[in-house]
Amino acid sequence: MSTSEIDRQWTTRLRKRTFGKLPPEKMLPDTQPSYVSSWIYVFGVATISSLVVVIATGCVLAIFGPAWWHTSNVGHFVNSMHLWSVEIFFFSMVIHLWGKYFMAAWRGGRALTWITGMVLFLCSIVTALTGYVSQSNFDSQWISTQAKDAINGSGGGAFFNLLNGGQMLMWHIVLMPLILVLLVGVHVVLVRIKGVVPPIEENAGAVQ
Amino acid sequence: MSSFLIGALINLNHPDHYFQWHIFDISAANAIVIILMLATFIGALLLPFPGRRRRKENQ
């Protein structure tokens, strides 16, 4: 096979494009600029860490089911772990969001990083809502009957029915986690490609 | 036993407390979480990050 033929292959082109934009030393850097030494960045990492716990405990809940998480001691414990890791997830994410907002973190061609973060925040709310209505208890019944009016009022009720327990469960355990994990991956890769935003007083063009 | 002890520290077995002011209506639990987030955010801005000075000196 000639060199020009190899260069035309989609695998060659994809590899060159990927490693051109994101070489390994940029994907997993040894050092970061001094302004990254801040507690604000800890909350972005804490958000991802709590998401790992959310998914892990969610997998355990999926294995044993509602009768287990409502009645047994261990089930209560894992259910509580799932809830509290979600609380930490949102807590950390909001602090990360505030920090990034006041840093104007969309500067220097980072608009897509900001947008993926905002979409992640909105998708997390949908994931939490579908989780609350999938508990299979009186709480989930109350939340679904209250929230359906808002969804119906927005016109979304035609394809997103909060009273449809099966649909809510599938959104919660399949669709939304897939979207969230995919978006988190894109968000982190974008942070790696563009680098962490420098402080406002620094030259906005100076990146890493 | 442990759940009994933790439950004894904070009694959650009652309807939510609500703060109401004009059109604003928020449960005590949500208000506490928002206050904690604000306090943590201010702390994250003001508290020194471990090893920052050492890293700056090395650069």
Side-chain angles (χ1 to χ4, degrees), chain A residues 38-40 43 99 102-103, chain B residues 39-48 52:
Chain A
S38 161
W39 285 109
I40 285 293
F43 290 96
F102 288 110
M103 285 176 191
Chain B
T40 311
F41 180 62
I42 292 165
L45 292 178
L46 300 180
L47 290 175
R52 181 168 189 165

Side-chain angles (χ1 to χ4, degrees), chain A residues 91 98, chain B residues 26-41:
Chain A
F91 192 101
W98 285 344
Chain B
I26 188 168
S27 70
N30 282 343
I32 289 168
V33 168
I34 291 169
I35 290 165
L36 281 176
M37 283 197 297
L38 285 168
T40 311
F41 180 62

